[in-house]
Amino acid sequence: MPRPPKGVTIADVAARAGVSLSTVSRALNGNPTVDPTLVAKVQDAAAALDYTASAVARSLVLGRTQTVAVVVPDLGNPTFQAILRGLSRAAAADDYHVLVADSAESVDEERVLATATRRRTDGVILCAPRLPQDELDRLVGGLQPVVLINRASGDVPSVRADYGSALTAELTHLHALGHRRIVFLAGAPGSVANAARLEAIEAFRIAHPDTDVTEIPCGVDFEAGAAAAPAVLESDATAALAFNDLVAMGLLSALQASGCRVPDDLSVAGFDGIPFAQYTTPPLTTSAVPAAELGAQAWSRMRELLESAEPGHPLTLLPELTVRGSTGPAAGARVS
Amino acid sequence: MPRPPKGVTIADVAARAGVSLSTVSRALNGNPTVDPTLVAKVQDAAAALDYTASAVARSLVLGRTQTVAVVVPDLGNPTFQAILRGLSRAAAADDYHVLVADSAESVDEERVLATATRRRTDGVILCAPRLPQDELDRLVGGLQPVVLINRASGDVPSVRADYGSALTAELTHLHALGHRRIVFLAGAPGSVANAARLEAIEAFRIAHPDTDVTEIPCGVDFEAGAAAAPAVLESDATAALAFNDLVAMGLLSALQASGCRVPDDLSVAGFDGIPFAQYTTPPLTTSAVPAAELGAQAWSRMRELLESAEPGHPLTLLPELTVRGSTGPAAGARVS
DNA sequence: CTGTTAGCGCGTTCAA
DNA sequence: TTGAACGCGCTAACAG
């Protein structure tokens, strides 16, 4: 077997085929103004030399890399994974590549990675829940084309899930079950995802003066949820609403470990609708965020931007309330 | 605020600083043979113009992209996510970028993506469980530098989890609990991951003639596991060993839905040790594959390759048996 | 229809 | 120490 020829260039192909560089370029790029005979010759030569045009050189001359960057807060979180997956597959279908960057839930990294990855790609899709709004506004200017996920900034194309409405739906669900004292396990204080939820809670409080919704600072992962269990038990709440499913799972587990029965003693609801929420015991009531769809739509926006077509209008998807066994009638309501 | 200057080139900086292109290049790259005065001038000019050298142009002239490709079978699978996460963070720490490609569990895609992504990166880290060995052997030649995850080929650097030993440990665990009739829910027929498990099973059969281990064709996800439940129930097995945790979770759920008690009626064990396995009911006995570590080590190998240092010797990590509530004494054994 | 020429934006020789 | 010129590998404009 011939050694895989390193550094075969277009000149080598041209020499072997007995034509000029441009003819090789044209032939290989399907330019119709080339004699079919020569096309065949060129293709043969290219095949024989195992030639493929240097992507970097093409990128330089064409001014585009066929690659987009995606910045996510945590590759370990199923929600962002689903977004990335949907995005990656959609982009691949359009022959685009995806450069990923994990900001490790850090504001600094979100900022740095966005600009760093942008320099070697044609655009960046930003999922940066922690970045303060003013910084985001400032950042996106120098990043274009940009698509935002779960954020907005000026008229930058964006796709988002309506966290507020979804949380309201969950609260309403709990209220209908008779819950009047509810605790909310909050996520990262600075994040917009958390802010959206808090806003919905505030509106709910006003609409339902009979119901007491209190916040407990918590976090975004298993450990945070488990660590919050004592605080939840100490409160006199009959239902706990977690920032996301990971928190809910951690909480659920810790609660049950200390003898608390769910949903008999306490109802627990999550958020995001990760696949695993279906397999806890009891299965988790949650709001199903169509994350993969969000990713695919984000790509769609980016594609339009890259083709300098009108980007689709901002998209807002409504997560679907998914009622499962972890929520039930309020303990108090049952007694009365 | 000045418009973010598009297309500021090194010439613009040179003009503004009143020096030549080469001086700008040298100054910005920290070449010590430049007059400190000029360095300052250049830096000022660059800052004023918000200049950053084109990554593509640098890549072309330097012959390296500071980017590696990672091909994974499914971005939706927690195990590969963990690998990607560990890899991505390790690479980022060394100022490298990561291009991801999701082969969607397809052999064709594994093959195509590997070469396609290689062309725009400095190397590829391949996690391709489906690719037949001969194809893999042929492929890696033209891909170098390459690092393999959970595969081997010639003396290509690789990192892997010892699936065989881990499965043996699980079988031994079940055997010790008195199980003598065990079903194995097999994964993708062609995959090496599956082959490694089957091999371990065969060895176990020989070592334990008293135990009957039968395979049931299954799959690699929730649905496959759930769909296999009837077959598992129809068998007279007292324990089921799933290809991975996803399958185990699907199975667990379907079994319980049809009234089967785990582990009293049937023990269930998974594989991979995904975080969620801890939150099923009962919690899942499994083998914890250090996936993030695998990813980090894969990067480490790649880094050594890129620095043309001696790549570390092939690494094999042993997954740790994690016994939880889903496995218990065999129903039969308990009666006797 | 084909070949020659000129860049894409940068790093790096080679002289000065 | 600095600048001018060359080349990375390729595509596109311009002639022929």
Side-chain angles (χ1 to χ4, degrees):
Chain A
M1 193 177 122
R3 285 274 93 233
K6 297 296 180 190
V8 253
T9 155
I10 195 171
D12 301 325
V13 181
R16 191 178 224 271
V19 297
S20 75
L21 303 187
S22 12
T23 300
V24 174
S25 177
R26 286 191 276 250
L28 261 29
N29 290 329
N31 187 320
T33 76
V34 184
D35 186 320
T37 318
L38 289 187
V39 173
K41 260 190 186 167
V42 169
Q43 287 176 336
D44 287 352
L49 295 172
D50 191 24
Y51 169 79
T52 347
S54 152
V56 177
R58 303 194 84 231
S59 294
L60 182 59
V61 68
L62 294 179
R64 80 197 131 74
T65 60
Q66 294 284 98
T67 304
V68 293
V70 179
V71 179
V72 295
D74 179 15
L75 282 174
N77 184 315
T79 299
F80 303 127
Q81 288 157 3
I83 290 176
L84 177 60
R85 184 159 141 276
L87 178 26
S88 152
R89 294 191 176 182
D94 288 329
D95 269 310
Y96 263 80
H97 299 257
V98 172
L99 197 69
V100 284
D102 180 335
S103 63
E105 302 270 2
S106 145
V107 177
D108 288 340
E109 290 295 304
E110 288 183 348
R111 189 179 16 234
V112 171
L113 291 176
T115 54
T117 57
R118 173 62 181 88
R119 297 199 304 108
R120 47 188 75 243
T121 57
D122 298 339
V124 40
I125 294 161
L126 203 52
C127 189
R130 307 288 245 260
L131 209 58
Q133 188 63 41
D134 56 340
E135 284 203 50
L136 180 67
D137 294 337
R138 217 173 307 139
L139 191 62
V140 294
L143 245 42
Q144 279 150 355
V146 195
V147 171
L148 260 24
I149 296 184
N150 284 338
R151 302 280 314 238
S153 174
D155 52 2
V156 172
S158 68
V159 297
R160 51 198 312 190
D162 185 347
Y163 289 176
S165 299
L167 201 72
T168 303
E170 289 204 36
L171 286 167
T172 304
H173 162 65
L174 292 175
H175 189 265
L177 285 172
H179 296 278
R180 294 298 177 270
R181 293 185 307 282
I182 303 173
V183 290
F184 173 66
L185 302 189
S191 79
V192 293
N194 196 50
R197 288 166 172 79
L198 293 183
E199 211 170 287
I201 287 175
E202 189 50 36
F204 185 87
R205 282 196 187 109
I206 293 171
H208 301 268
D210 64 332
T211 303
D212 176 40
V213 186
T214 55
E215 303 164 29
I216 296 181
C218 182
V220 301
D221 52 22
F222 292 131
E223 287 69 33
V232 171
L233 288 172
E234 275 169 31
S235 79
D236 57 349
T238 61
L241 189 48
F243 177 78
N244 66 22
D245 290 339
L246 300 182
V247 171
M249 289 173 78
L251 174 67
L252 193 59
S253 175
L255 286 176
Q256 292 174 332
S258 53
C260 176
R261 292 167 309 156
V262 177
D264 294 344
D265 298 334
L266 191 80
S267 283
V268 172
F271 202 96
D272 278 352
I274 65 175
F276 305 94
Q278 190 176 345
Y279 296 98
T280 56
T281 300
L284 202 58
T285 290
T286 185
S287 287
V289 174
E293 173 67 10
L294 225 47
Q297 289 290 342
W299 165 248
S300 171
R301 297 288 180 289
M302 177 53 76
R303 182 194 181 174
E304 288 156 354
L305 245 35
L306 293 172
E307 293 172 345
S308 57
E310 279 306 298
H313 28 243
L315 177 73
T316 300
L317 298 177
L318 186 62
E320 188 178 358
L321 178 64
T322 308
V323 178
R324 299 207 183 96
S326 69
T327 52
R334 179 177 281 171
V335 173
S336 67
Chain B
M1 192 177 121
R3 287 270 91 235
K6 296 297 181 190
V8 254
T9 155
I10 194 171
D12 301 324
V13 180
R16 191 178 224 272
V19 296
S20 76
L21 306 186
S22 5
T23 300
V24 175
S25 176
R26 285 191 275 250
L28 261 29
N29 290 329
N31 188 319
T33 76
V34 185
D35 186 320
T37 318
L38 289 187
V39 173
K41 261 191 187 167
V42 169
Q43 287 175 337
D44 287 350
L49 296 171
D50 191 25
Y51 169 79
T52 344
S54 153
V56 178
R58 302 193 87 231
S59 294
L60 182 60
V61 68
L62 294 178
R64 79 195 133 74
T65 60
Q66 294 282 93
T67 304
V68 292
V70 179
V71 179
V72 295
D74 179 15
L75 283 174
N77 184 315
T79 298
F80 303 127
Q81 289 157 3
I83 290 176
L84 177 60
R85 182 158 142 277
L87 179 25
S88 153
R89 295 192 175 180
D94 288 331
D95 270 310
Y96 263 79
H97 299 258
V98 172
L99 196 69
V100 285
D102 180 337
S103 63
E105 303 270 1
S106 143
V107 177
D108 289 339
E109 290 297 303
E110 288 182 349
R111 190 180 14 234
V112 171
L113 291 176
T115 54
T117 57
R118 174 62 180 89
R119 297 198 305 107
R120 47 188 75 241
T121 57
D122 298 340
V124 40
I125 295 160
L126 202 53
C127 189
R130 307 288 245 259
L131 209 60
Q133 188 64 40
D134 55 340
E135 283 202 52
L136 180 68
D137 294 337
R138 219 173 304 138
L139 191 61
V140 293
L143 246 41
Q144 277 150 358
V146 195
V147 171
L148 260 22
I149 296 184
N150 284 337
R151 303 279 314 237
S153 174
D155 52 1
V156 172
S158 67
V159 297
R160 51 198 314 190
D162 186 347
Y163 289 176
S165 299
L167 201 73
T168 302
E170 290 206 36
L171 286 167
T172 303
H173 163 66
L174 292 174
H175 189 266
L177 286 172
H179 296 278
R180 294 298 177 268
R181 293 183 309 278
I182 303 173
V183 290
F184 173 66
L185 302 188
S191 78
V192 293
N194 196 50
R197 288 164 172 81
L198 293 183
E199 212 170 286
I201 288 175
E202 190 50 36
F204 185 87
R205 281 195 187 112
I206 294 171
H208 301 268
D210 64 332
T211 302
D212 177 40
V213 186
T214 55
E215 304 163 28
I216 296 182
C218 182
V220 300
D221 52 22
F222 292 131
E223 287 69 33
V232 171
L233 288 172
E234 275 170 31
S235 79
D236 56 350
T238 61
L241 189 47
F243 176 79
N244 65 22
D245 290 338
L246 300 181
V247 170
M249 289 174 77
L251 173 67
L252 194 59
S253 174
L255 285 177
Q256 292 174 332
S258 53
C260 177
R261 293 167 308 158
V262 176
D264 294 347
D265 298 335
L266 190 79
S267 283
V268 172
F271 202 96
D272 278 352
I274 66 176
F276 305 95
Q278 192 177 342
Y279 297 97
T280 56
T281 301
L284 202 58
T285 290
T286 185
S287 287
V289 174
E293 173 67 11
L294 225 45
Q297 288 290 342
W299 165 249
S300 171
R301 297 290 181 285
M302 177 54 76
R303 180 193 183 177
E304 288 155 353
L305 246 34
L306 292 173
E307 292 172 344
S308 57
E310 279 306 297
H313 26 242
L315 177 72
T316 300
L317 298 177
L318 187 60
E320 188 178 357
L321 178 64
T322 308
V323 177
R324 300 205 184 97
S326 70
T327 51
R334 177 177 280 172
V335 173
S336 70

